Amino acid sequence: MKPLPSFRSHVITTELKGGYQVVATDLNKDGQPDLIGLASGMNELVWFENPGWKRHVLASGLSRLINVAASDNDGDGIPELVLATGFSMDAARSSGEVWMLRHAGDPLVPWKISQIDRLPTSHRLRWADIEGNGQKVAINAPLSDARATAPDYHGKTPLVFYRPGAWKREVIPIETDGVMHGVTTLDWDGDGREEILTASFEGIHLLRRAGPDRWTRTELAKGSPEPWPKSGASDIAAGRLEGCRFLCAIEPWHGNQVTVYTHLGERWDRRVIDHSLVEGHALAAADLDGDGRDEIVAGFRGKGHTVSIYKAGDAEGSRWTRHILDTEVPAASCVVADLNGNGLPDIACIGGPVLKWYENLGR
């Protein structure tokens, strides 16, 4: 087994308030990924320009920011952004404004912003090419039903999308009961169309577009076996071990476990590889050392907050070792990207007041 590379940490800022999500995307068309640092306790959406990490403001006058997603849909080399604000865990107080942001010619000055929707508990935004035509749509996955209440959050949690240009809400006619916390998009079966993976109180599900108004929902795993509302999964990511897909999750909601699912025949075998998290929230999978096996990056924001890397000891994913990356960031989100252009994947994590990146030094 190859050893993990070394990482050198770099502090980008310690002046955020409620750092919640980090997104790597090239915002100024210079070929280098910049970092959006979304902080729920600030009234500005800010980004940091690579390589000097100068701070810029994308938009201001906002409140309770929760998620942003980037995609260059008009082909000008600079992405358009969708942003969700007005979030609260209390659905009755969660207004769920959804915005579209586009640069006004100079990406270094505040961007044009317009509201496209208002959907209570709007929580996770992702872009996906659901039709395989090269045209991505913006997925909006609310946290819960607009009438749901703690602690069970029972209700029909919606899932919708918007086509750029029209920005009209289109409903995905599949509803989830309870909290839906994690969403990721990927081309699951290699057909050129992207599918949606969701992590919710009901478990881990794969959503496929089967026609203009028809979707299918397939249960892949039930997640945590504990009784509701400690059931299911909170965050979800997909990786590969020498060509074989695996899934990884944080379970249950804001939970203490990092789990790995490997495919055995018709079922996914669940394995808990760590149970020491306190309010787990950050999750990513990527090949950090170039050995053909993806590692797992997971972090938690509760007491003793830690970001760890988990490395598979075999191609079957039956053995994993944990390596601590950082104990200073109460990680709410981590992302993997080559931030310095040396061909090696780096890591960036955000939480509380802090945004840091970890330079991959190789072996």
Side-chain angles (χ1 to χ4, degrees):
M1 180 175 66
K2 294 182 179 179
L4 276 175
S6 299
F7 289 88
R8 178 188 295 131
S9 66
H10 303 270
V11 176
I12 294 176
T13 184
T14 59
E15 298 179 350
L16 299 173
K17 184 178 179 181
Y20 189 82
Q21 183 197 17
V22 57
V23 173
T25 185
D26 183 1
L27 288 168
N28 57 356
K29 202 177 178 180
D30 67 353
Q32 300 179 96
D34 308 295
L35 293 175
I36 301 174
L38 181 146
S40 296
M42 294 171 55
N43 64 7
E44 296 176 326
L45 178 64
V46 299
W47 66 284
F48 299 87
E49 184 181 358
N50 193 352
W53 305 116
K54 183 178 179 180
R55 180 184 184 273
H56 303 282
V57 175
L58 286 159
S60 59
L62 305 165
S63 66
R64 295 180 287 160
L65 292 73
I66 195 68
N67 230 231
V68 64
S71 177
D72 179 16
N73 300 295
D74 59 14
D76 69 351
I78 299 176
E80 292 75 58
L81 308 177
V82 285
L83 170 70
T85 66
F87 178 78
S88 172
M89 297 277 288
D90 178 359
R93 297 180 56 249
S94 187
S95 52
E97 293 91 359
V98 185
W99 309 82
M100 193 278 288
L101 286 75
R102 184 190 301 274
H103 71 89
D106 180 359
L108 302 183
V109 302
W111 290 26
K112 298 177 182 178
I113 180 170
S114 57
Q115 186 172 327
I116 61 173
D117 201 3
R118 188 180 179 95
L119 182 61
T121 77
S122 291
H123 182 251
R124 290 287 180 263
L125 298 174
R126 302 289 185 265
W127 289 95
D129 182 2
I130 60 173
E131 295 170 334
N133 60 5
Q135 304 297 314
K136 292 191 175 186
V137 302
I139 308 292
N140 179 9
L143 182 78
S144 70
D145 183 274
R147 297 168 296 278
T149 57
D152 291 335
Y153 292 93
H154 280 301
K156 297 179 180 180
T157 304
L159 189 63
V160 306
F161 67 89
Y162 315 94
R163 299 178 189 275
W167 299 115
K168 178 183 177 182
R169 183 198 302 176
E170 298 186 46
V171 175
I172 296 175
I174 291 175
E175 293 170 328
T176 299
D177 186 13
V179 165
M180 178 167 54
H181 186 264
V183 175
T184 192
T185 59
L186 74 169
D187 184 354
W188 180 263
D189 44 21
D191 65 353
R193 295 185 298 176
E194 290 184 295
E195 286 74 40
I196 304 170
L197 280 176
T198 64
S200 71
F201 280 6
E202 293 187 323
I204 299 169
H205 291 82
L206 174 68
L207 278 60
R208 289 186 173 101
R209 184 174 173 86
D213 299 307
R214 193 165 66 88
W215 289 72
T216 62
R217 181 176 186 249
T218 303
E219 180 185 281
L220 302 181
K222 293 187 179 299
S224 168
E226 296 299 314
W228 191 290
K230 294 295 185 181
S231 59
S234 184
D235 296 278
I236 184 68
R240 289 193 173 275
L241 296 173
E242 298 182 10
C244 297
R245 178 183 284 122
F246 71 88
L247 303 175
C248 55
I250 291 175
E251 297 174 351
W253 183 30
H254 293 169
N256 66 313
Q257 297 177 340
V258 179
T259 59
V260 172
Y261 292 86
T262 51
H263 208 194
L264 294 177
E266 295 299 315
R267 66 183 179 89
W268 289 86
D269 182 56
R270 179 178 186 263
R271 178 175 288 102
V272 178
I273 63 172
D274 192 358
H275 53 76
S276 66
L277 280 63
V278 181
E279 202 174 340
H281 208 273
L283 186 68
D287 187 356
L288 301 173
D289 53 12
D291 67 351
R293 301 176 185 174
D294 285 352
E295 283 71 46
I296 299 168
V297 179
F300 63 94
R301 58 189 186 179
K303 184 178 180 180
H305 44 67
T306 302
V307 180
S308 299
I309 299 173
Y310 303 83
K311 182 172 178 60
D314 55 34
E316 291 74 39
S318 63
R319 294 181 290 109
W320 295 80
T321 55
R322 178 191 181 202
H323 307 264
I324 294 177
L325 178 67
D326 196 301
T327 58
E328 296 179 353
V329 180
S333 169
C334 293
V335 66
V336 178
D338 181 6
L339 297 176
N340 58 3
N342 68 351
L344 300 176
D346 307 301
I347 302 169
C349 295
I350 193 172
V354 183
L355 173 61
K356 296 176 73 173
W357 76 283
Y358 307 88
E359 180 184 2
N360 189 332
L361 302 177
R363 298 187 186 90

